[in-house]
Amino acid sequence: MSSPTNLFATVPKRSSRAPAAPFLPMSRAEMDALGWDSCDVILVTGDAYIDHPSFGMALVGRLLEAQGFRVGIIAQPDWLSAEAFRVLGKPNLYFGVTAGNMDSMVNRYTADRKIRSDDAYTPNGEPNKRPDRTVTVYAQRAREAFPDVPVIIGSIEASLRRIAHYDYWSDKVRRSVLPDSKADMLLFGNAERALVDLTHRLAAGENIKDIRNLRGTAFMVPPGWLPGDDWGVHNSTRVDVPGKVDAHHDPYAMAQEDKSACATDNAQPKEVIKPIRIMSREERLAMAKEKHDKTVVRLPSYDVVKDDPVMYAHTSRVFHLESNPGNARAMVQAHGERDVWLNPPPLPLAMDEMDGVYDMNYARAPHPSYGKAKIPAWDMIRFSVNIMRGCFGGCTFCSITEHEGRIIQSRSEPSILREIEHIRDKTKGFTGTISDMGGPTANMYRLACKDKAIEESCRRLSCVYPTICVNLGTDHSKLISLYRKARAIPGIKKVLISSGLRYDLAVRSPEYVKELVTHHVGGLLKIAPEHTEEGTLSKMMKPGIGAYDEFKEMFDRFSLEAGKKQYLIPYFIAAHPGTTDEDMLNLALWLKKNNFKLDQVQTFMPTPMAMATTMYHSRKNPLKKVTADSEIVETAKSGKVRRSHKAFLRYQDPANWPILRETLVKMGRGDLIGNGDRHLVPSWQASEDGGLAAGERKRQTSGAGTLDKFVAAPKRKTERALAPTPFIAPESKVRPSILATIKTKPKAAPAAKAGARRK
């Protein structure tokens, strides 16, 4: 692979650079105003163009602009013809195609495969402004518009579809996006380094078909193609399944002289004696590394994995084992008569490179052509600051690791503080509150392996599961320092932390939890235990519920010390692979015991390349060695079962009571159906009992936050009692409902009359 260079090593001197455009042009009129007759690169995106580093097309466009290239943007074009892709003319170098910040299928469809009614990345949230599988459609249209112009695809949608993958929306294994889109090259992950190198090489006249040594790139090659004669091929089954182990030859054993009468000078000896070459440890390691770096792992072909769930799971496991840029090898997978070749993942950006990416000349606003239209995604992030990338958590249902990698890439304090000052001074509508200062995970800022050599050789899928690795640094002091400096900036009233928090890491630093709770929580803190049951959590690679309890104890204690009423809002996932009906029931009972009444809940959505998606499709566990006889992962696939699992998370919603009653009876847990506080759901409701008059339904309350209790109307002769054996929940201290505490204040008790006796 090409040797790494600083991302900004080739930036031309400022004196020879054209001034930065106020916005990258979206029309010929804007190009004319800049004095451009053509664009070097045209980026096509499925999102509205917002010139801010949180939006991929803006970050990539400004990065290339800083390298001296002229970049235009075509945002949300009409894909029904190629005409919209000709609006800026023919690019000199290539089309860069992205679906936007989200996978287009996740953006357009719910977990129940129903089309969404809005799109947060479109002006006024208007839906249907991008096609299904946006990258494929846009790439084909760009090719149609100018057949001789190279097409480069990227973004999370392309990144997660770089090999054969299970597609939830069509319920089948689809090919890599490369042959479907007919793109010349795919850039996966955070691909700034590859993008800059590729663009300069194309500008220098290289043919894109000759550029094959860039990390973080994938492309189509003839079957059996190798970069050189010194490369070797390693079958993936040898990576995951050990073969026969041969006894090692003893180099000190003396060969016996053959003195038999039939021995001749031409006879083959029984043992060939070779001189022993003594090599230093450094030489041995260098030879092993060279051999490793020039080995490609051949994955089972698309034609195999599309019909064989076991081989699909095996492929997923091998793919994830080859994800550390420090030791990952190239991979290849046959697709019909051609191969998809994947180079190793990109090397992470250094801190000064991260600063350079985020410190470029962004307008930090939507393109003026949108006028006063509201873009929900912009409203969400315009007062927030991204401080890092990547996640070493490795949660199986999440695709961040597959896209951004496990190595944390952090910005420096000065760069982050400059952005906060920029928001204060130049962002319209700012009132003094930074809405978030985080990233994929709020408290992984500047956390890393204690030893670079260990980090580069590690093949763990998570640094924090099943336990936090002893080699992982968990010191939060740099993040605490950043928090304090951020809120000390004049004009900043509040800095909130809204990104997801890894609480098993946070409890390692009570000082961090105290700092967070005292200064950076706006009443509610979202946190994601995801589940309570060990079987499900093991498939998620999430910590046990005990870690949540430990964090909650700290959170409550420090909130009390700060004199604040603050609450945790837990997030949970329904119907995750490995989750049984009993697991969801136990979670519902835990919610009731702790008096949580969830408003928004999430049903597991299988996204391409995630390990949980592999479990969903194959019913195999890729976290362990995969064979035909290996562990079976039970998975909720039918719509009815998935709805019942989701209903358990909102047991308090009357709309969910019918399906919960049916499920509980089927499970033999009818004892949880009844009208008492010890039951999970009532045995009847007004709409099911002939429409009872309002007066016949009496609400009784025994304290804030308890379940509603109803006085049952006289039973009809045909009605049967569903709960012959009452369920008694373990006694626990019932705390007030979160919403009840926030929205209402308990009325003060009437003052006791003088002389009255206390009962």
Side-chain angles (χ1 to χ4, degrees):
M1 299 299 100
S2 60
S3 58
T5 58
N6 186 283
L7 194 60
F8 296 95
T10 55
V11 172
K13 293 181 180 179
R14 186 169 298 277
S15 58
S16 61
R17 244 189 295 168
F23 284 87
L24 300 177
M26 291 179 62
S27 66
R28 293 300 298 237
E30 291 174 82
M31 290 172 59
D32 293 341
L34 293 169
W36 297 3
D37 58 349
S38 64
C39 293
D40 296 317
V41 177
I42 295 178
L43 302 178
V44 186
T45 175
D47 291 344
Y49 169 34
I50 299 173
D51 200 58
H52 186 278
S54 292
F55 296 84
M57 88 298 293
L59 187 151
V60 166
R62 291 298 188 180
L63 176 63
L64 292 177
E65 179 189 56
Q67 302 287 326
F69 297 104
R70 294 174 294 181
V71 183
I73 287 186
I74 300 175
Q76 298 184 318
D78 178 2
W79 66 90
L80 298 180
S81 76
E83 200 54 40
F85 294 76
R86 299 187 180 105
V87 66
L88 298 182
K90 181 180 179 179
N92 300 324
L93 298 179
Y94 62 84
F95 275 109
V97 174
T98 167
N101 276 20
M102 286 181 67
D103 182 285
S104 63
M105 301 303 286
V106 176
N107 178 283
R108 299 199 69 225
Y109 295 91
T110 69
D112 297 324
R113 297 189 178 98
K114 296 179 180 177
I115 195 159
R116 298 185 190 273
S117 58
D118 56 6
D119 182 342
Y121 292 87
T122 300
N124 295 321
E126 188 177 346
N128 303 319
K129 285 294 186 178
R130 72 187 80 211
D132 288 354
R133 301 181 178 85
T134 298
V135 163
T136 298
V137 176
Y138 283 180
Q140 292 173 350
R141 285 289 183 257
R143 177 76 74 201
E144 183 182 346
F146 298 103
D148 57 334
V149 173
V151 176
I152 314 297
I153 58 176
S155 76
I156 191 167
E157 176 168 316
S159 194
L160 298 186
R161 288 170 164 78
R162 55 189 185 263
I163 62 171
H165 56 280
Y166 173 73
D167 183 80
Y168 172 64
W169 298 272
S170 59
D171 192 24
K172 66 179 183 180
V173 176
R174 294 179 65 94
R175 301 191 302 174
S176 164
V177 70
L178 267 169
D180 285 348
S181 66
K182 297 178 173 53
D184 294 281
M185 184 175 287
L186 184 156
L187 304 187
F188 59 86
N190 295 121
E192 291 97 340
R193 206 184 300 281
L195 182 75
V196 168
D197 199 350
L198 172 68
T199 309
H200 280 291
R201 290 171 68 173
L202 290 175
E206 280 193 64
N207 190 305
I208 192 167
K209 296 187 183 302
D210 297 329
I211 301 175
R212 293 290 184 257
N213 63 341
L214 292 179
R215 279 179 165 269
T217 60
F219 39 83
M220 304 295 294
V221 295
W225 178 87
L226 292 173
D229 295 336
D230 53 347
W231 276 68
V233 181
H234 203 68
N235 192 292
S236 68
T237 56
R238 295 185 60 191
V239 175
D240 194 40
V241 179
K244 179 183 176 182
V245 179
D246 296 320
H248 289 285
H249 169 67
D250 182 357
Y252 300 102
M254 299 299 292
Q256 298 295 322
E257 183 180 357
D258 189 352
K259 297 181 179 180
S260 61
C262 62
T264 65
D265 291 341
N266 295 327
Q268 292 294 324
K270 292 182 178 179
E271 187 169 357
V272 178
I273 301 174
K274 294 183 178 180
I276 299 172
R277 181 189 172 196
I278 305 300
M279 299 176 64
S280 68
R281 181 175 181 272
E282 289 74 18
E283 287 178 311
R284 293 197 306 272
L285 291 175
M287 285 185 64
K289 187 175 189 309
E290 183 179 7
K291 182 178 179 181
H292 180 277
D293 292 346
K294 292 187 176 181
T295 299
V296 60
V297 177
R298 180 164 285 280
L299 303 172
S301 70
Y302 163 72
D303 289 328
V304 170
V305 300
K306 72 181 178 67
D307 298 320
D308 189 337
V310 173
M311 292 306 291
Y312 182 93
H314 158 80
T315 302
S316 174
R317 175 171 169 80
V318 172
F319 176 88
H320 285 84
L321 289 173
E322 297 290 336
S323 61
N324 182 346
N327 59 49
R329 290 168 286 190
M331 290 182 283
V332 64
Q333 184 179 50
H335 280 63
E337 297 180 355
R338 293 194 297 167
D339 288 348
V340 172
W341 181 284
L342 288 83
N343 280 328
L347 295 174
L349 297 185
M351 183 175 286
D352 64 325
E353 293 175 306
M354 283 285 287
D355 289 352
V357 166
Y358 282 87
D359 288 347
M360 291 184 297
N361 295 309
Y362 301 98
R364 297 180 183 271
H367 190 273
S369 63
Y370 300 124
K372 295 183 179 180
K374 296 287 186 181
I375 304 176
W378 165 242
D379 291 338
M380 184 187 305
I381 63 93
R382 60 179 174 157
F383 303 134
S384 69
V385 181
N386 197 340
I387 65 174
M388 47 76 69
R389 301 180 170 160
C391 180
F392 49 68
C395 299
T396 62
F397 53 83
C398 179
S399 299
I400 290 174
T401 300
E402 284 82 356
H403 183 58
E404 296 191 1
R406 291 183 176 84
I407 298 175
I408 302 303
Q409 304 164 68
S410 301
R411 297 168 62 186
S412 68
E413 272 189 1
S415 173
I416 295 167
L417 299 179
R418 281 196 300 271
E419 183 169 353
I420 293 175
E421 291 174 343
H422 192 110
I423 292 172
R424 177 197 64 190
D425 298 337
K426 298 183 179 180
T427 305
K428 293 182 180 179
F430 183 66
T431 59
T433 298
I434 298 296
S435 60
D436 187 26
M437 193 167 67
T441 305
N443 60 321
M444 288 186 182
Y445 177 72
R446 299 190 71 172
L447 299 189
C449 190
K450 297 175 182 177
D451 189 316
K452 190 68 176 175
I454 293 175
E455 178 184 82
E456 290 180 351
S457 62
C458 182
R459 292 173 71 84
R460 281 184 61 158
L461 297 175
S462 170
C463 298
V464 290
Y465 184 86
T467 58
I468 296 175
C469 180
V470 294
N471 296 307
L472 178 66
T474 58
D475 180 13
H476 285 58
S477 60
K478 293 183 176 65
L479 185 55
I480 294 170
S481 171
L482 176 62
Y483 285 0
R484 290 172 178 171
K485 291 178 181 179
R487 66 174 186 264
I489 294 175
I492 301 302
K493 301 175 183 177
K494 188 82 171 178
V495 177
L496 298 176
I497 306 302
S498 304
S499 297
L501 189 77
R502 191 77 195 199
Y503 50 85
D504 51 343
L505 282 173
V507 297
R508 293 286 186 97
S509 176
E511 183 185 5
Y512 170 75
V513 179
K514 183 174 183 179
E515 191 79 15
L516 174 77
V517 170
T518 305
H519 300 287
H520 301 283
V521 176
L524 302 176
L525 179 67
K526 296 176 182 178
I527 197 167
E530 308 296 5
H531 218 282
T532 57
E533 303 308 292
E534 185 58 36
T536 302
L537 291 170
S538 69
K539 302 299 186 295
M540 296 177 169
M541 288 211 296
K542 290 284 288 187
I545 198 66
Y548 167 83
D549 293 334
E550 185 178 357
F551 179 79
K552 181 183 179 305
E553 185 277 327
M554 285 188 181
F555 181 90
D556 291 343
R557 172 159 49 90
F558 291 133
S559 292
L560 184 63
E561 289 178 7
K564 296 182 177 181
K565 290 185 178 180
Q566 300 183 140
Y567 304 92
L568 292 176
I569 302 294
Y571 275 62
F572 298 93
I573 294 179
H576 189 278
T579 307
T580 64
D581 291 348
E582 288 74 16
D583 291 332
M584 292 307 304
L585 171 59
N586 290 337
L587 173 53
L589 293 175
W590 184 89
L591 291 170
K592 183 175 186 295
K593 173 185 173 182
N594 289 276
N595 202 30
F596 282 120
K597 296 181 179 180
L598 306 182
D599 183 22
Q600 294 181 335
V601 297
Q602 180 181 358
T603 304
F604 170 70
M605 179 187 288
T607 53
M609 209 172 287
M611 298 193 85
T613 301
T614 298
M615 299 179 199
Y616 178 92
H617 167 63
S618 69
R619 298 179 70 233
K620 291 291 182 180
N621 184 2
L623 302 177
K624 302 176 182 178
K625 289 186 181 298
V626 177
T627 66
D629 300 325
S630 60
E631 177 188 3
I632 299 296
V633 180
E634 297 298 336
T635 302
K637 287 192 173 182
S638 76
K640 187 171 184 179
V641 175
R642 285 169 65 84
R643 286 193 298 273
S644 68
H645 281 203
K646 184 177 181 180
F648 273 119
L649 293 180
R650 285 183 45 79
Y651 64 90
Q652 79 280 4
D653 186 349
N656 291 328
W657 292 345
I659 193 171
L660 287 178
R661 289 196 200 99
E662 182 181 347
T663 302
L664 289 171
V665 171
K666 188 181 298 183
M667 294 171 62
R669 295 307 306 270
D671 56 297
L672 295 177
I673 305 171
N675 301 326
D677 195 32
R678 63 183 179 271
H679 300 113
L680 185 65
V681 294
S683 59
W684 61 270
Q685 63 192 90
S687 61
E688 296 175 338
D689 203 27
L692 296 178
E696 295 177 284
R697 182 174 182 259
K698 299 181 180 179
R699 179 187 294 258
Q700 296 179 344
T701 55
S702 58
T706 59
L707 285 175
D708 291 346
K709 294 183 289 185
F710 303 107
V711 177
K715 295 181 180 179
R716 292 178 285 186
K717 292 180 181 180
T718 57
E719 187 175 357
R720 293 187 294 118
L722 294 176
T725 306
F727 168 74
I728 302 176
E731 289 193 11
S732 61
K733 185 178 180 181
V734 178
R735 59 189 180 85
S737 165
I738 291 175
L739 296 179
T741 307
I742 294 171
K743 293 182 178 179
T744 62
K745 294 183 179 180
K747 295 180 180 179
K753 294 182 180 179
R757 292 185 302 169
R758 296 179 61 188
K759 294 184 180 180

